């Protein structure tokens, strides 16, 4: 039996779908709303279900995290939100508009910095503004000229400690510095909604902790709407307003956690007894989903071993 801390409500997605988001007519529509997203990939003559009836909401200025077992479809969900894939079922709405299958409405930070080696730090930071379509974005263009864009980007580089490296090339930067440049590229893109796909997974533990604190400070200054993928429960609790816990594949939302800790947050919150209790509870949820995934793989291997050499699956 898993423990459920009393200070924070966690509930099955069925209950969330029953109650829905209670919003007054004057409340702004969500920055992102996924409604019943389902997707399966075709493998030869069979289908591989990846996502099953996934629904979630990111309110304006909210930091929301996704956690789930490896291979549960989190990055695939990002591809759907970004318009690279189209779901078989469900709709995607941004600021109240249906954006299903459309591209150009999000800013994105991948797991790796993905900085172009032939461009300076400044030019890499400006890339998001250069390539982003200006029409149909939630935030109107902020810069009237290239000169103004470069001036603003240089000011931001100073704020994040990269001012002296504006003309440097990526290979001269540390991993944490490259990640800051990649985040700044996403931050300065005109789209209001940011998707961050495990941006700190490749960093060592100390650098990762520093980057988490840096991201907290940056986000608290700007309050962009963020959907964040992570495998770290501690990272999700530290950064997020709300956390969606996904099941093993095919992924569905099995728990929703409204994080109770006030902002601004600092690293010391990880020593709070309630924080530790929630970390323990969510770890047990994740272990349960991982065991389901491992069990499915074991069953598949068992079936494969029992198939005779002639390829026929006989039943006695």
């Amino acid at each position: 039996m898993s423990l459920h801390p009393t200070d924070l409500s966690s509930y099955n997605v069925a209950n969330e779908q029953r109650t829905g988001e209670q919003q007054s007519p004057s409340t702004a529509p969500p920055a992102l709303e996924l409604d019943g997203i389902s997707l399966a990939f075709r493998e030869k003559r069979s289908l591989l279900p990846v996502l099953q009836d996934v629904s979630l909401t990111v309110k304006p200025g909210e930091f929301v995290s996704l956690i789930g077992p490896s291979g549960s479809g989190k990055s695939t969900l990002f591809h759907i939100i970004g318009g690279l894939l189209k779901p078989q079922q469900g709709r995607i709405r941004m600021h109240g508009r249906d954006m299903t299958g459309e591209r150009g409405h999000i800013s994105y930070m991948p797991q790796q910095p993905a900085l172009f080696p032939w461009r300076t730090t400044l030019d890499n930071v400006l890339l998001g503004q250069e390539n982003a379509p200006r029409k149909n974005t939630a935030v109107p263009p902020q810069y009237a000229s290239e000169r103004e864009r470069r001036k603003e980007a240089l000011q931001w580089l100073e704020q994040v400690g990269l001012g002296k490296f504006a003309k440097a090339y990526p290979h001269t930067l540390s991993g944490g510095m490259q990640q800051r440049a990649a985040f700044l590229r996403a931050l300065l893109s005109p789209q209001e909604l940011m998707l961050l796909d495990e941006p700190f997974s490749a960093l060592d533990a100390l650098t990762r902790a520093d980057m988490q604190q840096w991201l907290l400070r940056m986000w608290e200054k700007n309050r962009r709407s963020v959907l964040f993928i992570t495998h770290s429960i501690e990272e999700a609790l530290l950064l997020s307003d709300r956390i969606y816990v996904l099941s093993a594949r095919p992924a569905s939302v099995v728990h929703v956690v409204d994080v109770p800790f006030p902002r601004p947050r600092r690293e010391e919150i990880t020593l709070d007894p309630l924080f530790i209790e929630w970390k323990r509870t969510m770890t047990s949820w994740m272990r349960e989903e991982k065991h389901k995934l491992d069990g499915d793989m074991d069953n598949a291997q068992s079936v494969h071993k029992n198939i005779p050499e002639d390829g026929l699956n006989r039943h006695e």
Side-chain angles (χ1 to χ4, degrees):
M1 180 177 69
S2 62
L3 297 175
H4 295 263
T6 57
D7 300 71
L8 188 61
S9 62
S10 170
Y11 47 92
N12 187 275
V13 67
N15 185 50
E16 183 195 27
Q17 291 172 338
R18 241 183 348 258
T19 57
E21 296 285 346
Q22 300 299 321
Q23 296 183 336
S24 64
S26 61
T27 302
L32 174 68
E33 191 175 11
L34 305 187
D35 184 10
I37 299 296
S38 296
L39 178 72
F41 291 126
R42 182 169 295 280
E43 289 195 344
K44 295 181 180 179
R45 297 183 180 179
S46 63
L47 289 176
L48 176 65
V50 178
L51 302 169
Q52 182 175 306
D53 197 26
V54 175
S55 297
L56 61 82
T57 299
V58 180
K59 298 176 184 177
E62 191 174 38
F63 198 118
V64 175
S65 286
L66 279 175
I67 64 171
S70 295
S72 60
K74 299 183 293 296
S75 294
T76 299
L77 192 61
F78 269 23
H79 294 160
I80 291 175
I81 297 170
L84 300 177
L85 294 172
K86 194 168 183 178
Q88 272 104 25
Q89 295 180 3
R91 310 304 298 173
I92 299 165
R93 288 182 288 274
M94 298 181 190
H95 302 281
R97 296 179 55 200
D98 191 328
M99 300 295 188
T100 309
E102 294 188 20
R103 303 184 186 185
H105 301 290
I106 61 154
S107 61
Y108 174 66
M109 182 177 176
Q111 296 180 21
Q112 301 296 329
L115 303 178
F116 288 144
W118 60 88
R119 295 181 67 124
T120 64
T121 304
L122 174 60
D123 289 334
N124 269 292
V125 165
L126 289 168
L127 189 62
Q129 299 174 43
E130 294 173 10
N131 293 335
R134 293 288 169 169
K135 62 180 181 179
N136 297 330
T137 55
V139 180
Q142 302 176 18
Y143 312 103
S145 69
E146 180 180 353
R147 182 178 179 180
E148 290 178 348
R149 291 197 298 269
R150 295 180 73 86
K151 181 180 178 181
E152 185 78 6
L154 283 168
Q155 292 173 350
W156 274 105
L157 285 170
E158 289 288 347
Q159 289 188 41
V160 303
L162 293 176
K164 295 180 180 179
F165 300 91
K167 296 181 179 180
Y169 289 91
H171 72 275
T172 67
L173 306 180
S174 68
M177 293 165 73
Q178 291 184 28
Q179 289 298 90
R180 275 182 276 166
F183 178 81
L184 196 53
R185 177 181 58 197
L187 184 69
L188 294 182
S189 297
Q191 299 88 346
E192 194 270 339
L193 176 65
M194 300 178 66
L195 304 188
L196 310 183
D197 189 354
E198 293 192 82
F200 308 142
S201 61
L203 302 177
D204 63 83
L206 185 58
T207 305
R208 182 170 185 156
D210 289 342
M211 288 299 298
Q212 288 168 356
Q213 291 302 309
W214 178 84
L215 176 58
L216 271 175
R217 292 193 299 271
M218 291 295 295
W219 179 82
E220 286 167 356
K221 284 182 181 179
N222 296 275
R223 293 285 175 148
R224 293 281 287 277
S225 305
V226 173
L227 185 59
F228 182 89
I229 289 178
T230 180
H231 279 101
S232 170
I233 294 169
E234 180 173 299
E235 186 170 72
L237 286 168
L238 176 65
L239 297 175
S240 308
D241 296 307
R242 188 165 63 259
I243 304 169
Y244 287 86
V245 182
L246 298 182
S247 69
R249 192 176 61 239
S252 60
V253 178
V254 289
H255 299 283
V256 183
V257 175
D258 291 313
V259 181
F261 310 112
R263 296 187 185 275
R265 294 183 196 154
R266 296 297 176 257
E267 193 173 8
E268 294 74 22
I269 195 68
T270 60
L271 303 177
D272 186 284
L274 180 60
F275 189 101
I276 295 171
E277 185 177 3
W278 263 113
K279 183 178 177 181
R280 184 183 302 116
T281 298
M282 294 178 69
T283 299
S284 70
W285 294 342
M286 294 292 289
R287 283 204 181 106
E288 181 180 349
E289 295 305 321
K290 185 178 184 301
H291 291 160
K292 291 178 184 178
L293 186 61
D294 293 343
D296 289 343
M297 292 176 64
D298 291 341
N299 291 336
Q301 291 173 358
S302 176
V303 170
H304 179 73
K305 289 178 180 178
N306 291 328
I307 296 178
E309 292 183 0
D310 61 7
L312 299 176
N313 190 5
R314 296 188 176 89
H315 299 274
E316 297 297 334

